[in-house]
């Protein structure tokens, strides 16, 4: 993989490359999201509504792990492929090694912080008195697996960048299968409840993490010495620069989740639904939405090696073709998800346990309104990651922040003042629509720049 003529990223048909890189990435992201879905399913059928609410309270920390993983993984992978496209092999080695070192350090630090400040965090994330004990039990255990979760999610990007997308998928799949098998065993057979779900999750993450580390120790295209993992401004700063966009996007999701939890608790308490029903419904909707969004993120991660290498090699035509084909696939998948969410909300909610008629009425309404613009939700993440992949992190960061921070967060605070709990529901589609328009306009402008700089 040393030049444009011999590297398949620069010569193979874009459709074939997308199938090769995006599909395993999509499967890996889907499988990763199953950790939360499987826990939600079994907890809902054993502990009940309060257990579902507790997993929603813990969810911001899962998002934080993903944010740190993408910061290191995408930042490292993008720099690695750009360097390989420019035939700068030594720099590529330093970027891959630096990303691995950053992931390991981030995982350990996060586990320590959560262990020290667990209860204040759960209260800040919106836990009520009835939910707090469940949240403490679940998060206190799952936090021990954060280093392995970060290594698995972030390391998968490096494995794809090295040309092994199928192996990255297998790593994540192995952990998810283990989690799915152990969840009912621990929760029902051993009667461990929330703790059982948490331990099942950790065991799966440890297996996946070890598999990823095993591959990263033996890269195919380059040799990564241990010294490359040590802190180095020359490698860490570029990694942070190109990884900051997906990092901010995930952290924005975390902030929004915390604000939404507290808003639902406050305004739910003033409504006929109470605080727990909105929290439980929001938890399920967040996890279900993650399944669809995992596909979109999988596509955006799958295009990264293709776009980065061809942009580094000066092939603008292939960069544009990759973006267009990826966006078309994302829109088609998003439209299918939109129809599913609009037609079958009650059936989806019923999968995660029973509840009162009031519970299902609120859940159906929440589903249909909050996820109304699902069919255009693929535009923003794919466009933001494209800018990251070509080394223009500033635009990637801005687009990553549009939906969550610039638009959704203020709407979550303002609309409920006038609309009560309904304001939480309507804030999402408004933010989705504006973010999609901004992303399309930015990419249209970038295409013009690419046409001038890379006319081939």
């Amino acid at each position: 993989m040393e030049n444009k003529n011999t590297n398949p990223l620069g010569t193979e048909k874009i459709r074939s490359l997308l199938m090769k890189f995006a599909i395993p990435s999509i499967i890996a992201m889907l499988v990763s999201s199953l950790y939360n879905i499987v826990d939600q399913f079994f907890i809902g059928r054993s502990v009940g509504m309060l257990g579902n609410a507790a997993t929603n309270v813990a969810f911001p920390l899962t998002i934080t792990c993903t944010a740190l993983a993408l910061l290191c993984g995408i930042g490292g992978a993008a720099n690695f492929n750009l360097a390989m496209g420019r035939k700068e092999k030594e720099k590529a080695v330093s970027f891959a090694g630096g990303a691995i070192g950053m992931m390991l350090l981030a995982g350990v630090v996060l586990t320590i912080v959560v262990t020290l400040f667990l209860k204040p965090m759960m209260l800040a994330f919106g836990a009520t008195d009835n939910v707090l004990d469940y949240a403490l039990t679940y998060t206190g255990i799952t936090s021990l697996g954060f280093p392995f979760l970060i290594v698995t999610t972030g390391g998968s990007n490096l494995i794809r960048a090295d040309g092994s997308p199928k192996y990255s998928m297998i790593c994540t799949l192995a952990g998810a299968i283990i989690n799915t098998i152990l969840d009912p065993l621990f929760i029902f057979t051993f009667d461990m409840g929330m703790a059982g779900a948490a331990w099942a999750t950790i065991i799966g993450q440890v297996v996946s993490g070890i598999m990823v580390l095993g591959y990263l120790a033996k890269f195919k295209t380059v040799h990564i010495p241990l010294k490359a993992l040590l802190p180095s401004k020359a490698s860490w700063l570029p990694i942070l620069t190109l990884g900051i966009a997906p990092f901010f996007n995930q952290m924005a999701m975390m902030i929004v989740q915390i604000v939404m939890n507290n808003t639902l608790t406050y305004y739910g308490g003033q409504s006929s639904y109470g605080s727990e029903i909105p929290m439980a419904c929001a938890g399920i909707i967040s996890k279900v939405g993650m399944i669809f969004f995992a596909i979109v993120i999988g596509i955006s991660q799958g295009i990264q090696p293709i776009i980065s290498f061809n942009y580094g090699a000066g092939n603008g035509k292939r960069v544009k073709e990759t973006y267009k084909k990826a966006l078309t696939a994302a829109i088609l998948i998003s439209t299918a998800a939109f129809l599913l969410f609009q037609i079958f909300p009650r059936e989806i909610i019923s999968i995660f346990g029973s509840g009162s008629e009031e519970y299902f009425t609120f859940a159906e309404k929440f589903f249909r309104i909050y996820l109304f613009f699902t069919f255009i939700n693929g535009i923003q993440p794919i466009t933001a990651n494209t800018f990251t992949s070509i080394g223009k992190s500033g635009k990637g960061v801005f687009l990553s922040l549009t939906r969550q921070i610039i638009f959704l967060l203020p709407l979550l605070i303002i609309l409920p003042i006038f609309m009560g709990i309904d304001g939480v529901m309507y804030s999402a589609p408004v933010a989705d629509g504006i973010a999609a328009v901004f992303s399309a306009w930015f990419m249209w402008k970038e295409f013009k720049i690419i046409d001038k700089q890379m006319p081939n």
Side-chain angles (χ1 to χ4, degrees), residues 399-426:
L399 291 177
S400 296
L401 295 178
T402 51
R403 196 261 181 187
Q404 302 287 342
I405 296 296
I406 299 175
F407 303 129
L408 182 55
L409 188 58
L411 289 169
L412 276 173
I413 297 171
I414 296 170
L415 290 185
I417 296 175
F418 302 99
M419 303 173 65
I421 200 165
D422 286 356
V424 177
M425 305 181 199
Y426 284 99

Side-chain angles (χ1 to χ4, degrees), residues 90 92 118 165 172 186 210 243 292 349 352 376 389 399 413 423 451:
E90 288 186 8
L118 180 58
T172 310
F186 288 174
I210 291 173
F292 144 71
I349 288 289
F352 300 95
I376 59 172
S389 299
L399 291 177
I413 297 171
D451 288 338

Side-chain angles (χ1 to χ4, degrees), residues 132-321:
L132 182 59
D133 285 343
Y134 294 110
L136 290 174
T137 298
Y138 184 78
T139 311
I141 297 171
T142 55
S143 62
L144 301 175
F146 286 168
F148 298 96
L149 176 58
I150 291 173
V151 165
T152 300
T153 306
S156 294
N157 291 279
L158 293 173
I159 293 173
R160 283 190 294 271
D162 192 48
S164 301
K166 289 183 180 178
Y167 185 82
S168 70
M169 173 191 70
I170 292 171
C171 292
T172 310
L173 185 60
I177 291 174
I178 291 172
N179 181 45
T180 303
I181 294 172
L182 294 182
D183 252 336
L185 181 65
F186 288 174
I187 293 174
F188 297 111
T189 305
F190 296 158
D191 196 25
M192 295 172 66
M194 295 292 290
W199 281 114
T201 297
I202 284 183
I203 294 171
Q205 290 169 351
V206 169
V207 171
S208 293
I210 291 173
M211 291 176 67
V212 168
L213 287 172
Y215 181 95
L216 296 179
K218 297 180 179 180
F219 246 48
K220 289 196 310 183
T221 54
V222 296
H223 170 67
I224 304 174
L226 286 176
K227 65 179 183 180
L229 277 63
L230 298 176
S232 167
K233 185 178 180 181
S235 61
W236 285 36
L237 187 59
I239 290 171
L240 293 174
T241 300
L242 294 191
I244 203 72
F247 171 79
F248 275 145
N249 187 46
Q250 292 294 318
M251 292 306 291
M253 287 176 62
M254 184 199 73
I255 294 170
V256 166
Q257 184 74 36
I258 294 171
V259 172
M260 186 168 71
N261 285 351
N262 284 281
T263 303
L264 287 170
T265 300
Y266 179 76
Y267 287 100
Q270 297 180 1
S271 70
S272 60
Y273 302 109
S275 298
E276 274 78 28
I277 285 179
M279 279 284 288
C281 292
I284 293 172
I285 289 170
S286 295
K287 306 303 190 306
V288 172
M290 269 188 66
I291 296 180
F292 144 71
F293 210 64
I295 300 175
V296 174
I297 295 298
I299 294 174
S300 71
Q301 290 184 358
I303 66 175
Q304 179 272 310
I306 309 169
I307 288 180
S308 291
F309 182 89
N310 284 285
Y311 191 84
N315 197 330
K317 182 179 178 181
R318 288 176 66 82
V319 171
K320 291 170 58 179
E321 184 183 353

Side-chain angles (χ1 to χ4, degrees), residues 64-110:
T64 302
C65 287
T66 303
L68 292 170
L70 297 183
L71 173 68
C72 308
I74 289 183
N79 278 291
F80 175 83
N81 287 125
L82 285 169
M84 292 295 281
R86 294 169 184 150
K87 306 177 185 179
E88 299 171 343
K89 196 168 183 178
E90 288 186 8
K91 287 187 177 180
V93 171
S94 69
F95 290 136
I100 297 169
M102 292 169 68
M103 285 185 283
L104 293 170
L105 179 62
V108 173
V109 171
L110 182 61

